[in-house]
Amino acid sequence: MIGLAREDFIGAIALLLRETASDPARSMKHARSMGEDMIKIMTGKSDLAPDPKDKRFKDPAWQYNPFFRAGAQYYLAVQKGMANWLNDLDLDELERDRANFISNIIIDSLAPTNTLAGNPTAQKRVIDSGGMSLVKGLKNAYDDILHNKGMVSQVDKRPFKLGENIATSKGSVVLRTEMMELVHYAPTTDEVYAIPQLTIPPQINKMYINDLSPDKSVVKWQLDNGIQTFVISWRNPSKDQGIWGMAEYIRSCREAMDAVAAITGSRKVNVSAGCSGGQTAAILASKLASDKQTSLGALTLMVCVLHPKQNDIEAGSLVSENGMQLARRRAAKQGVIEGDSLARGFAWLRPNDLIWNYVINNYLLGEDPPAFDVLFWNADATNLSASLMGDFLTIFETLAFTKKGEVEMADHKIDLTKVTSDLFILGGVTDHITPWRACYRSTQLFGSKDVTFVLSQAGHMQAILNPPGNPKAKFFKSKKPGLPPADVDDWLAGTEEVAGSWWPYWIEWLQARSGKKVAAPEAVGNATFKPLDPAPGRYVLEEH
């Protein structure tokens, strides 16, 4: 989405070749060291061994079979040699990040486990199945070529159906426009809090992540705790709708807020948003403040980066001005960035977990990919309009949220210091898309006097989908009240670890900012905003 160009990959590789040629003695030193490792492997004297946590080498054959043990050691020797060589090169921080990112992709692809000849588990499966695992693996690969644009499938979609075992909370669409549907969920308690909550989902995924399954539903958790719950469902844009930019999305958010206020009779509307939806919510908050509108209540931002830095993730090191300009031109020509292209880009951020793991499972072992609800949602990606992508790139390039009225977008100059809503900000410890330290920087951008930051012990979407009941769940929060300090390490030093899900902590925070309790409405919508299709609506079913 932020523009990784072939030229930038080639340029990074050229840099490595140049550094190699610039100091032959250094190259010879590392070649000699790797040669010594190879001799030890051939003579059976090598002590190289895989990391015990590396699931690729769990099969006992890697330890006891001399052929496979040597194969693993050759691979580890290359991995070790490459790491030592890169550490010895005269590179600045950005160049080193680029080198590490590219070398890791290359080395991960060369792992012996990615081939039938180098994977003992796959070979045993061939024998045990009488060759049927190979047949099934070829069929899986053929199906991916035909139906998944050549990308290995991460999920078995067959067991899931929207409205039956996914997105099952009761409710109705109460407003439909060309860009979005507004879903009003039916209350599950006799009394509700007067101030409702509107969720703004990311534009590059479908909204039902908020109501994935009964045991992983943020929507159900809110309803069961008396929160009047509304969720926007963005339409999946086609090429002709590539003109939808941030201004249009902000107008839709305001239209949704007005509808929520009219239905509930509340002058205030609390807002929750995650990932790119969080960036949209931040611009919405800035726009409302610029217009001196006071309808925004409390604001929750989950796994959302408003102040990005190039070294937040290794892939960021490959982002260049040239790459972003190419990305803009490609997007403008196509009208939209297709959802599967975005999904492919995210997968290559973690190729071992999100690509090679499934190559082994689906093709070499002949297994179906797992039937997992989060992966089902993740595979149900939507397109991104060219105009909105251009706006996201502008936000990235200009660091718009860190400026005070310098960057114009959505018919105003962005200034988060004018936003005074109470804030709840969430990060995930192992998040590789929106790293938690980057999420933390948002605590310093707003004019709010009440800011809470919570760190969930999980990755990107799992940080959000963290319901009570998981014995391994925990989160970190500040021991003392008050604004979070500017230095993230100072905040971390003053935290306490809390066992369990962060949801109960958040819902208490939200309830305290949701007004008094009133009788729950008997039906969703009202005379003006009448119920249309049942939740999760019509737009989540559209594909382009």
Side-chain angles (χ1 to χ4, degrees):
M1 185 168 70
I2 56 178
L4 300 181
R6 294 184 188 92
E7 292 85 351
D8 297 317
F9 280 95
I10 294 170
I13 293 172
L15 171 69
L16 295 179
L17 295 175
R18 187 188 72 215
E19 283 295 315
T20 302
S22 68
D23 190 344
R26 179 175 55 201
S27 299
M28 286 297 296
K29 178 183 72 174
H30 289 287
R32 185 167 58 251
S33 176
M34 185 173 293
E36 292 171 356
D37 278 334
M38 296 300 178
I39 292 172
K40 289 180 181 179
I41 293 169
M42 287 187 286
T43 57
K45 297 178 180 179
S46 174
D47 58 0
L48 288 174
D51 187 324
K53 296 180 181 179
D54 192 337
K55 294 183 289 187
R56 295 175 296 176
F57 299 100
K58 287 293 185 184
D59 194 293
W62 293 111
Q63 182 178 356
Y64 298 113
N65 184 296
F67 171 77
F68 286 113
R69 183 171 66 247
Q73 288 177 332
Y74 280 122
Y75 172 71
L76 295 172
V78 172
Q79 192 177 54
K80 172 189 165 186
M82 176 67 78
N84 291 339
W85 174 59
L86 291 177
N87 287 335
D88 206 17
L89 292 180
D90 186 17
L91 304 174
D92 62 29
E93 183 180 5
L94 182 61
E95 291 171 337
R96 193 171 302 282
D97 283 344
R98 288 183 174 187
N100 284 328
F101 180 70
I102 289 178
S103 65
N104 285 337
I105 287 180
I106 294 171
I107 290 173
D108 287 344
S109 70
L110 296 176
T113 48
N114 297 338
T115 66
L116 181 62
N119 192 316
T121 306
Q123 293 177 19
K124 293 172 188 174
R125 182 64 57 85
V126 171
I127 296 171
D128 292 344
S129 67
M132 291 305 297
S133 62
L134 281 181
V135 175
K136 181 68 186 301
L138 289 171
K139 179 181 181 301
N140 287 343
Y142 179 72
D143 287 344
D144 284 340
I145 292 170
L146 282 185
H147 307 299
N148 206 37
K149 297 192 176 181
M151 189 69 178
V152 61
S153 295
Q154 297 178 357
V155 63
D156 183 356
K157 299 179 182 179
R158 293 171 298 181
F160 302 107
K161 189 161 185 180
L162 287 175
E164 293 185 8
N165 56 3
I166 295 285
T168 59
S169 291
K170 303 300 181 185
S172 294
V173 173
V174 293
L175 171 64
R176 179 180 292 122
T177 70
E178 184 187 10
M179 287 187 70
M180 61 94 177
E181 292 176 327
L182 177 65
V183 179
H184 182 190
Y185 286 93
T188 59
T189 55
D190 293 333
E191 291 186 317
V192 295
Y193 288 89
I195 298 176
Q197 168 106 324
L198 172 66
T199 296
I200 301 173
Q203 291 92 336
I204 57 174
N205 288 109
K206 294 185 178 177
M207 54 76 78
Y208 62 85
I209 187 63
N210 297 283
D211 185 37
L212 196 60
S213 61
D215 62 332
K216 295 177 187 170
S217 173
V218 179
V219 165
K220 183 177 185 299
W221 178 254
Q222 291 182 182
L223 293 170
D224 290 348
N225 285 278
I227 302 297
Q228 299 189 71
T229 301
F230 296 78
V231 180
I232 289 174
S233 176
W234 297 120
R235 191 172 192 179
N236 189 4
S238 62
K239 183 176 182 178
D240 294 338
Q241 294 153 344
I243 58 173
W244 293 346
M246 187 60 77
E248 287 74 22
Y249 280 95
I250 295 302
R251 281 198 287 271
S252 288
C253 290
R254 295 187 73 167
E255 194 173 358
M257 285 185 72
D258 290 343
V260 171
I263 291 169
T264 61
S266 174
R267 289 185 301 158
K268 294 276 188 184
V269 176
N270 294 333
V271 170
S272 172
C275 205
S276 62
Q279 293 184 323
T280 307
I283 294 177
L284 171 66
S286 175
K287 174 65 174 170
L288 291 171
S290 174
D291 292 348
K292 298 188 177 357
Q293 291 285 323
T294 59
S295 55
L296 179 63
L299 180 60
T300 299
L301 300 177
M302 304 180 186
V303 294
C304 168
V305 176
L306 301 182
H307 181 186
K309 293 185 178 180
Q310 195 159 26
N311 61 354
D312 283 337
I313 58 174
E314 285 188 341
S317 62
L318 289 173
V319 178
S320 68
E321 184 176 348
N322 169 62
M324 285 190 278
Q325 292 305 320
L326 286 173
R328 288 181 192 273
R329 289 200 292 270
R330 283 197 299 266
K333 183 178 180 180
Q334 297 171 0
V336 295
I337 301 298
E338 294 183 354
D340 54 8
S341 295
L342 289 168
R344 184 178 287 107
F346 284 125
W348 279 106
L349 292 179
R350 289 172 56 199
N352 265 344
D353 292 334
L354 301 179
I355 294 177
W356 300 118
N357 175 52
Y358 295 101
V359 166
I360 294 168
N361 180 79
N362 303 3
Y363 303 162
L364 301 186
L365 300 180
E367 296 278 3
D368 289 325
F372 185 38
D373 48 16
V374 175
L375 292 176
F376 171 79
W377 166 82
N378 191 59
D380 195 11
T382 61
N383 301 331
L384 179 68
S385 74
S387 293
L388 183 61
M389 176 184 169
D391 288 335
F392 280 136
L393 289 176
T394 296
I395 291 170
F396 180 84
E397 286 178 289
T398 62
L399 296 179
F401 293 119
T402 70
K403 307 296 196 299
K404 299 179 181 179
E406 296 180 24
V407 180
E408 186 165 345
M409 189 170 290
D411 305 318
H412 84 298
K413 292 186 182 295
I414 298 172
D415 187 354
L416 295 186
T417 63
K418 294 181 179 178
V419 177
T420 58
S421 300
D422 289 356
L423 279 171
F424 187 102
I425 300 174
L426 174 75
V429 172
T430 56
D431 192 337
H432 70 288
I433 296 174
T434 55
W436 76 268
R437 289 175 178 268
C439 294
Y440 181 85
R441 295 184 201 121
S442 300
T443 63
Q444 308 300 308
L445 300 179
F446 293 81
S448 308
K449 302 299 182 185
D450 187 329
V451 180
T452 299
F453 184 82
V454 164
L455 181 58
S456 175
Q457 184 73 12
H460 190 59
M461 292 317 303
Q462 297 291 1
I464 297 177
L465 300 182
N466 200 295
N470 180 359
K472 296 181 180 179
K474 62 181 178 180
F475 66 95
F476 301 87
K477 67 179 185 69
S478 180
K479 295 177 184 176
K480 299 178 181 179
L483 290 173
D487 191 322
V488 63
D489 290 320
D490 289 343
W491 175 83
L492 192 59
T495 60
E496 60 180 337
E497 180 181 309
V498 183
S501 166
W502 60 272
W503 285 15
Y505 181 71
W506 172 61
I507 208 70
E508 288 181 12
W509 181 93
L510 185 59
Q511 288 170 335
R513 292 157 179 81
S514 297
K516 297 180 180 179
K517 281 190 173 183
V518 297
E522 295 181 0
V524 296
N526 62 12
T528 304
F529 298 96
K530 297 178 180 179
L532 303 173
D533 294 273
R538 186 185 300 173
Y539 284 171
V540 295
L541 302 175
E542 289 187 347
E543 296 182 7
H544 293 297

